[in-house]
Each structure stands twice: as C-alpha cells, then as structure tokens.
Amino acid sequence: MSAHCQLTGARPGFGNTVSHSHRRTSRRFDPNIQRKRYWLVSEGRHVRLTLSARAIKTVDAIGVEAAVARIRARGEKV
C-alpha cells in the first residue's frame, strides 16, 4: 500500500536516526495510513479511501460528501 493520504496528501518524511555515538543512519517517518470504507449517499455506493488518522477525524467533522469532493478537486480518482 502506498504511504500517502488521499485527503491531506500526507506522505512519508525522511530524516536520520542518531545513535548514542551520533552516527547517523537514514530513516523514514510514515504517516498513520488506514484504509476505510464509507457509504457515499449521493452515488449509492461504498468508497474505500486511504486516509491518515488525522484525515479520518477531518472526514468525521466535514462529512464524507465534502471529503470526496476535496479528494476529487486534488485530481485523485475515487
């Protein structure tokens, strides 16, 4: 599964792990990505979205219809 959020566009960040001796090795900070299924009333079907935990809270606040509209405005297919 691709580690990016369809709603917010959150993608992995990159940085370094710094050991006790200050040796640096590359690491990756992944967003908390979940696949969630929502009922889309206007189209009479379920949609499966790949969302970060923060985006799930956003969908709860603004509603599924508005969230899908934002995703489509970003140019992603739903």
Side-chain angles (χ1 to χ4, degrees):
M1 171 178 13
S2 168
H4 84 279
C5 175
Q6 288 181 303
L7 182 60
T8 62
R11 291 189 178 273
F14 296 90
N16 291 310
T17 299
V18 182
S19 71
H20 180 70
S21 64
H22 288 281
R23 292 175 71 97
R24 288 170 165 81
T25 54
S26 190
R27 66 160 293 179
R28 178 174 151 146
F29 297 90
D30 284 328
N32 185 4
I33 297 294
Q34 309 292 324
R35 282 182 59 87
K36 208 148 157 49
R37 197 173 87 142
Y38 291 100
W39 176 252
L40 200 57
V41 178
S42 65
E43 297 180 18
R45 68 183 182 105
H46 284 98
V47 290
R48 190 175 299 275
L49 302 175
T50 304
L51 302 171
S52 63
R54 186 182 74 184
I56 291 172
K57 295 173 190 174
T58 302
V59 171
D60 291 343
I62 67 172
V64 181
E65 301 287 341
V68 168
R70 284 189 192 180
I71 291 170
R72 287 181 174 150
R74 292 184 74 236
E76 292 206 34
K77 187 180 172 206
V78 177

